[in-house]
Amino acid sequence: MHHIGKPDRIPLAELVVREIGGNGRGAAAKTARVLGISASEVSKWKAPKEKWGFGGDVPTRLKERILDLAKRENLDITPEDLVRGYRKVPA
């Protein structure tokens, strides 16, 4: 699996899209619908900061909404993931 940035980390943006939207086509659009934002905003999460993106992170204003959804829907997203901005991949 290709990850943005360091190979021992899954960026928060990738983790959130996979957990909310699933894998494959339409995952970002589904994530956007569930969170009540535009698909173009979700695509900015993975864009480099130099190109006005979030570099793999998720906007702070959405993190509480994502955590609430994760608890309600039993998604594999933790408060630690949201604070760090990534998840360590086990060695």
Side-chain angles (χ1 to χ4, degrees):
M1 178 182 294
H2 172 69
H3 302 294
I4 301 168
K6 300 183 181 195
D8 65 335
R9 298 175 179 185
I10 299 172
L12 182 59
E14 187 174 329
L15 177 66
V16 169
V17 170
R18 187 174 60 204
E19 285 296 316
I20 296 174
N23 291 318
R25 293 179 66 114
K30 180 178 179 187
T31 301
R33 277 193 311 276
V34 169
L35 293 176
I37 60 176
S38 70
S40 64
E41 184 172 351
V42 173
S43 69
K44 288 180 184 176
W45 297 354
K46 293 184 178 184
K49 290 181 179 182
E50 302 81 46
K51 298 199 177 205
W52 305 101
F54 285 87
D57 203 355
V58 171
T60 302
R61 69 179 180 80
L62 294 173
K63 291 183 178 184
E64 186 174 347
R65 190 180 317 173
I66 291 167
L67 186 58
D68 290 344
L69 178 67
K71 288 177 183 176
R72 198 171 54 248
E73 300 294 327
N74 198 30
L75 302 175
D76 187 18
I77 301 170
T78 67
E80 292 79 18
D81 297 330
L82 295 169
V83 170
R84 278 193 308 257
Y86 64 88
R87 175 175 292 168
K88 286 286 255 179
V89 176

